[in-house]
Amino acid sequence: MLRIEVFSEDRNQLGEGPLWDVEEQRLYWIDSYAPAVYTCDAKGGDRKSWNLPEPVGSLALREKGGAIVSLRNGFHTLNFETGAVELLHETHPGELRPRLNDGKVDRQGRFVAGSMDFEERDPVGTLFRLDPDLSLHTLDTGIICSNGPCFSPDGKTLYFADSHMKAIYAYSYDTASGTVGSRRVFTSFDNLRGYPDGATVDAEGYVWSVEVYSGRLIRFDPNGVIDRIVGLPVQSTTSITFGGPDLDIAYVTSMARPFNNQYHREREAGCMFAVHGLGVRGLPEPRFKG
C-alpha cells in the first residue's frame, strides 16, 4: 500500500541531490542555498552536516572517503573529517551566470554533472564528466538548466534533462570511455503541468522524474511513455533517490524558497519525504572512484 511520510522536517531552501549509500546505509542530500551537505541513518537519526562556501548543486561520495561537490564555480573535494573544501576545477572562469547543478556517478565511477544559467534564461550551461584521475571533460554544451542525470541499468544510456526546455534527453553512453554519442528527446513535458527536475532509474530500467512546481513523481518506460504518476504532498518537489535496506523507498527532496516571489502554501515545503509501497526497487548508486 502506498504511504508517504515526512522523513525530515527541516525545511530546506532548496533541497536537492538525495543519495542513498548502500555501504553505509545512510542518506545524503544537500540544501543548495544553505549551502550545506546533510546525512542521516535509515531512521533519520545520527545526523551530520557540513557547511559549504557557496551554492552547491550535487555531490558524489568517494571510494576513498569524503565527497566531490559541484559548487557554483566548479568541482571541489569535501573532507568529511575536517570539513575542508578544496577546488579541483573552475568550470566557467570569468563567467558570472553559469553555476554547476545536478550530477550523478556513472556505473564505472565517473562523476557527470551539468551547469546552468543562474538566471535560467540562456544556454550557457555545459555537461561535464569528472574522471577518477580528476581530469575534466566536456560532454555537451548549450544547456539552460541542467538536471536529472541518471543511467540505464547497463550504463549505456545517459538520461539528462534541460528543465527550461521541458525535456528529458537520452544520450548513447560509451561505458569504456565515458563519451556520449547521439542525443535524442526521450520525453517531453510540454503537455504536463510542471518541469523535469531530479531523476533516477529503477531496477527495471524505468526513469523516475520529479515534476517540479507540480508535486508529482512520473515514471517513464524505456521508450519515454508515462507508466504511472504519483502525487506528492507539496508542489515544490525537486529530486529523488531509492534507498532503505531493500532500495524500495523513494526519498524525495523539496524546496521552501519562494517561486516567482510567492511563498509555498504547504507547510511541508522544503521537507524530505519517504514514499513507501511503490512496488519497485532502485539500483545501488556507485561511489566516485577518484
Side-chain angles (χ1 to χ4, degrees), residues 88-103:
L88 288 174
H89 293 281
E90 187 176 1
T91 48
H92 295 277
E95 299 181 58
L96 297 179
R97 285 171 54 183
R99 75 165 178 89
L100 281 181
N101 201 42
D102 208 355

Side-chain angles (χ1 to χ4, degrees), residues 131-142:
D131 284 355
D133 64 1
L134 303 183
S135 61
L136 187 64
H137 309 269
T138 296
L139 298 181
D140 203 358
T141 58

Side-chain angles (χ1 to χ4, degrees), residues 4 16 40 47 121 136 145 177 184 196 198 220 240 242 245 266:
I4 302 174
E16 282 281 7
C40 66
R47 295 196 171 211
R121 288 200 325 246
L136 187 64
C145 185
S177 66
R184 60 183 172 85
F220 297 93
I240 179 175
F242 281 97
E266 309 96 345

Side-chain angles (χ1 to χ4, degrees), residues 7-284:
F7 181 76
S8 172
E9 295 181 351
D10 295 339
R11 300 184 74 241
N12 297 148
Q13 286 300 301
L14 180 52
E16 282 281 7
L19 170 65
W20 178 265
D21 183 52
V22 295
E23 182 178 329
E24 295 182 317
Q25 291 291 293
R26 295 183 66 88
L27 181 66
Y28 289 79
W29 73 98
I30 61 175
D31 184 339
S32 294
Y33 290 151
V37 172
Y38 304 98
T39 183
C40 66
D41 62 25
K43 295 182 178 180
D46 189 27
R47 295 196 171 211
K48 302 175 184 177
S49 64
W50 297 269
N51 293 325
L52 299 170
E54 57 187 51
V56 56
S58 53
L59 82 155
L61 298 177
R62 307 179 74 179
E63 286 190 348
K64 62 176 62 176
I68 303 292
V69 287
S70 58
L71 302 188
R72 176 168 183 169
N73 76 331
F75 291 95
H76 297 67
T77 60
L78 170 60
N79 187 313
F80 285 157
E81 297 297 325
T82 66
V85 177
E86 296 185 4
L87 177 67
L88 288 174
H89 293 281
E90 187 176 1
T91 48
H92 295 277
E95 299 181 58
L96 297 179
R97 285 171 54 183
R99 75 165 178 89
L100 281 181
N101 201 42
D102 208 355
K104 198 72 61 71
V105 176
D106 71 12
R107 307 291 177 211
Q108 289 70 42
R110 298 170 289 235
F111 188 31
V112 174
S115 58
M116 60 174 283
D117 180 10
F118 203 76
E119 299 178 6
E120 299 187 32
R121 288 200 325 246
D122 297 318
V124 297
T126 299
L127 184 61
F128 297 100
R129 188 191 75 241
L130 182 68
D131 284 355
D133 64 1
L134 303 183
S135 61
L136 187 64
H137 309 269
T138 296
L139 298 181
D140 203 358
T141 58
I143 299 158
I144 299 176
C145 185
S146 62
N147 262 315
C150 52
F151 295 87
S152 59
D154 64 5
K156 295 181 179 180
T157 301
L158 164 61
Y159 300 101
F160 176 79
D162 188 330
S163 298
H164 186 86
M165 301 302 293
K166 299 194 74 171
I168 298 176
Y169 302 101
Y171 298 84
S172 58
Y173 192 78
D174 188 308
T175 57
S177 66
T179 56
V180 295
S182 58
R183 186 182 85 172
R184 60 183 172 85
V185 175
F186 173 69
T187 193
S188 171
F189 277 56
D190 282 343
N191 295 320
L192 297 173
R193 300 188 315 219
Y195 299 77
D197 203 331
T200 192
V201 176
D202 65 28
E204 298 173 11
Y206 285 56
V207 177
W208 290 79
S209 177
V210 177
E211 189 184 23
V212 68
Y213 307 130
S214 178
R216 303 192 298 182
L217 299 179
I218 304 180
R219 187 189 195 221
F220 297 93
D221 72 16
N223 294 314
V225 177
I226 293 176
D227 173 72
R228 64 194 289 197
I229 296 177
V230 179
L232 296 166
V234 300
Q235 292 190 347
S236 60
T237 46
T238 55
S239 193
I240 179 175
T241 192
F242 281 97
D246 297 319
L247 294 176
D248 60 351
I249 304 169
Y251 294 100
V252 182
T253 50
S254 67
M255 60 180 167
R257 69 167 182 163
F259 173 62
N260 286 339
N261 297 317
Q262 294 183 356
Y263 286 92
H264 301 288
R265 296 189 300 268
E266 309 96 345
R267 64 181 178 84
E268 297 92 353
C271 294
M272 169 89 73
F273 300 91
V275 185
H276 303 260
L278 290 170
V280 298
R281 295 186 179 187
L283 295 165

